[in-house]
Amino acid sequence: MIENTPHKTKAFIAGVNLNDPNFDYYMNELANLTEAANMQVVGQARQNAEHIIAGTYFGLGKINEIKDMARGLKAKVLVLNDELTPVQIRNLEKLTKLRVVDRTELILEIFSNRAQTKQAKLQVQLAQLQYELPRLHPSENSLDQQRGNGGSTGGGFANRGAGETKLELNRRTIGKQISIIKRELQTISKQEEIKAKRRNQNHIPKVALVGYTNAGKSTTMNGLLTEFSKHSAKQVFVKNMLFATLDTNVRRIDLDNNFSFILSDTVGFISKLPHNLIESFKATLQEVKDADLLINVVDASDPNMIQMIRTTQNVLDEIGVKNTPMITAYNKADKSERNYPQIEGSGILYSAIDTKSIATLADLITKHIFSSYKQINLLLPLSAGKILAYLHENAQVLKENYQNDGIHVVARLSPQEQAHLANYIN
């Protein structure tokens, strides 16, 4: 049993197993999420069943067992492995005398605490309001006020309802708030689209880091920035916790061989990620949809690695990313006894904190995104200074020679650049 930790509310976690082979994995995730929400997991209960009980989630026998166990462990919060209906939550709170938090609300609260930028905060608020809307109940005002204000049964959920208590909200005001937030997000999204179009105009390949939360995506980005980029001062935030990064960070990586690509680091994924949250973050995940190559960063030291890969693929499918080429990057090899870095099929075993690993990863990226590039001879007019500058910015210039008939250039070009400069191909 975990020893008491000061300033942390004690939580009891529980779930219903409907013959799911991944149930143990989901419960382990739930424990990690609960800890990430600044609560202390003191015990857990499981019920094997053929179906969920409509009104109470668990059967009454299991509810009484949970009530007794939680009381003995002095737990104040009951955290459940699924998204519950409003009726189930109200009934469980009455029967157990515990504050009930379902998996969806737990994840939303963690996202709320992690959000830093205006866009991320708005996206989380939108998902929270959409979660709250069907859960408003006029007869539960006394309970709602207690829950909203983080009373004696609270557990770090003082911001429930996007900063306002449910007592102060009603369906009409929530609807208005949702409309306002959507308009604000549309404005931000348009601004981001303009930035993305500018990047696309340069025909620089786009690479997106994706994967399970806390697998090492941000550490990988920082490794590439330190090793190759002129902008290494623009490191991204890294911390060993779930959902450390909610905002998409975009950086340019300039490799030693004169190749460059745009690298984006996105929000991490987790099993049963709430649909409203995925919908809210679709604009943020646009960088993933636009990418020429995905790097699925996986924690190779985690025994649940296979399930994590499946989780990432499920989220990618949900946001409509299906045929983009992908490198599976098995990170944290330094925690194993295997030799690294090494290429394994279309993947790589590496450590994001190892410079040799980062160089090997960069080589693998180069092979994937620059395989269609060709070495082209160009003859530019002597007055074509802008075109030459464009080449130096966006292509790999191998040779450059000024002669009487013009500037002779040998460059490695993408198919788009070959079409763009067709008139100058010698």
Side-chain angles (χ1 to χ4, degrees):
M1 194 62 62
I2 301 173
E3 294 182 2
N4 184 36
T5 304
H7 312 304
K8 283 192 176 183
T9 298
K10 291 183 177 182
F12 191 93
I13 67 173
V16 175
N17 182 10
L18 304 177
N19 300 315
D20 189 339
N22 295 319
F23 183 75
D24 288 343
Y25 168 62
Y26 294 145
M27 287 296 290
N28 185 55
E29 265 191 348
L30 188 67
N32 291 334
L33 287 167
T34 304
E35 296 284 350
N38 200 35
M39 291 186 283
Q40 178 194 0
V41 178
V42 294
Q44 64 173 273
R46 307 172 179 211
Q47 181 173 39
N48 296 321
E50 295 298 322
H51 59 85
I52 299 293
I53 303 301
T56 54
Y57 184 66
F58 295 109
L60 288 178
K62 180 60 70 172
I63 292 173
N64 288 329
E65 178 187 325
I66 289 171
K67 179 180 179 181
D68 292 341
M69 292 175 65
R71 180 185 298 161
L73 295 167
K74 298 182 179 179
K76 300 295 184 183
V77 182
L78 174 61
V79 182
L80 300 176
N81 190 42
D82 295 293
E83 180 172 325
L84 273 63
T85 67
V87 171
Q88 288 170 335
I89 290 176
R90 287 196 295 271
N91 287 339
L92 279 174
E93 287 186 322
K94 289 175 182 176
L95 291 168
T96 64
K97 308 302 180 186
L98 295 170
R99 163 86 163 85
V100 173
V101 177
D102 68 12
R103 187 184 181 98
T104 297
E105 184 180 3
L106 183 67
I107 294 174
L108 289 173
E109 179 63 22
I110 295 169
F111 268 60
S112 177
N113 291 335
R114 301 285 193 267
Q116 297 294 323
T117 66
K118 181 179 180 181
Q119 183 180 24
K121 289 177 180 177
L122 288 171
Q123 287 166 329
V124 176
Q125 285 180 358
L126 177 60
Q128 283 181 316
L129 289 170
Q130 289 169 331
Y131 172 85
E132 289 288 344
L133 189 57
R135 286 164 173 76
L136 293 179
H137 196 272
S139 65
E140 297 293 326
N141 281 342
S142 60
L143 176 63
D144 291 345
Q145 188 171 21
Q146 177 189 3
R147 290 161 65 103
N149 288 332
S152 62
T153 57
F157 285 76
N159 293 326
R160 188 178 184 124
E164 298 183 55
T165 64
K166 289 182 9 178
L167 184 63
E168 296 170 328
L169 298 175
N170 56 46
R171 284 182 174 83
R172 183 175 297 176
T173 56
I174 284 184
K176 288 180 180 178
Q177 285 181 303
I178 287 174
S179 298
I180 292 169
I181 291 173
K182 283 183 175 180
R183 284 197 295 270
E184 288 189 72
L185 284 172
Q186 285 175 351
T187 301
I188 295 173
S189 180
K190 288 178 182 177
Q191 294 170 350
E192 294 300 320
E193 285 176 9
I194 293 172
K195 293 179 184 177
K197 284 180 180 178
R198 288 173 183 166
R199 290 195 292 268
N200 294 342
Q201 286 173 352
N202 291 333
H203 305 301
I204 300 178
K206 296 175 290 297
V207 179
L209 295 162
V210 298
Y212 197 86
T213 182
N214 209 24
K217 296 183 298 298
S218 298
T219 305
T220 299
M221 173 176 259
N222 284 341
L224 287 164
L225 283 168
T226 300
E227 194 68 19
F228 297 107
S229 181
K230 301 169 185 175
H231 312 291
S232 59
K234 293 186 177 180
Q235 299 274 299
V236 297
F237 177 71
V238 172
K239 190 172 182 180
N240 183 25
M241 65 181 185
L242 299 182
F243 303 116
T245 303
L246 294 189
D247 305 291
T248 297
N249 294 294
V250 181
R251 302 288 189 271
R252 175 170 170 150
I253 304 295
D254 302 306
L255 302 177
D256 294 337
N257 55 13
N258 240 20
F259 283 132
S260 298
F261 61 90
I262 300 298
L263 183 66
S264 59
D265 174 28
T266 60
V267 60
F269 303 147
I270 200 165
S271 301
K272 301 183 183 181
L273 200 59
H275 180 73
N276 284 341
L277 204 54
I278 294 176
E279 282 294 317
S280 299
F281 272 76
K282 273 188 174 177
T284 301
L285 293 170
Q286 188 63 39
E287 292 291 339
V288 177
K289 298 183 74 172
D290 291 342
D292 300 296
L293 175 69
L294 300 179
I295 301 176
N296 181 10
V297 181
V298 180
D299 182 352
S301 68
D302 195 295
N304 298 306
M305 177 180 68
I306 300 301
Q307 290 96 325
M308 291 175 173
I309 293 174
R310 289 184 187 137
T311 293
T312 297
Q313 191 57 60
N314 289 339
V315 177
L316 291 174
D317 289 343
E318 185 160 355
I319 64 174
V321 178
K322 296 186 181 294
N323 299 314
T324 306
M326 181 186 292
I327 294 172
T328 303
Y330 298 94
N331 186 27
K332 304 188 183 181
D334 52 296
K335 294 184 178 181
S336 71
E337 295 181 357
R338 300 179 63 187
N339 293 325
Y340 67 93
Q342 59 176 302
I343 305 298
E344 299 181 338
S346 60
I348 177 176
L349 178 68
Y350 79 114
S351 168
I353 59 175
D354 171 54
T355 55
K356 188 176 179 182
S357 289
I358 292 297
T360 304
L361 176 61
D363 289 341
L364 190 58
I365 293 171
T366 300
K367 290 177 182 176
H368 273 77
I369 61 178
F370 297 112
S371 60
S372 61
Y373 282 50
K374 291 183 179 179
Q375 184 170 308
I376 303 294
N377 295 316
L378 300 169
L379 178 59
L380 305 179
L382 291 170
S383 59
K386 288 185 178 180
I387 297 176
L388 188 60
Y390 169 85
L391 283 170
H392 279 287
E393 179 72 15
N394 300 289
Q396 183 181 17
V397 177
L398 304 174
K399 291 182 181 178
E400 180 182 331
N401 186 19
Y402 286 78
Q403 297 184 15
N404 291 333
D405 60 341
I407 310 170
H408 290 256
V409 177
V410 179
R412 191 170 285 126
L413 305 179
S414 69
Q416 296 95 329
E417 288 159 352
Q418 292 170 40
H420 181 63
L421 298 168
N423 292 337
Y424 303 104
I425 294 177
N426 190 9

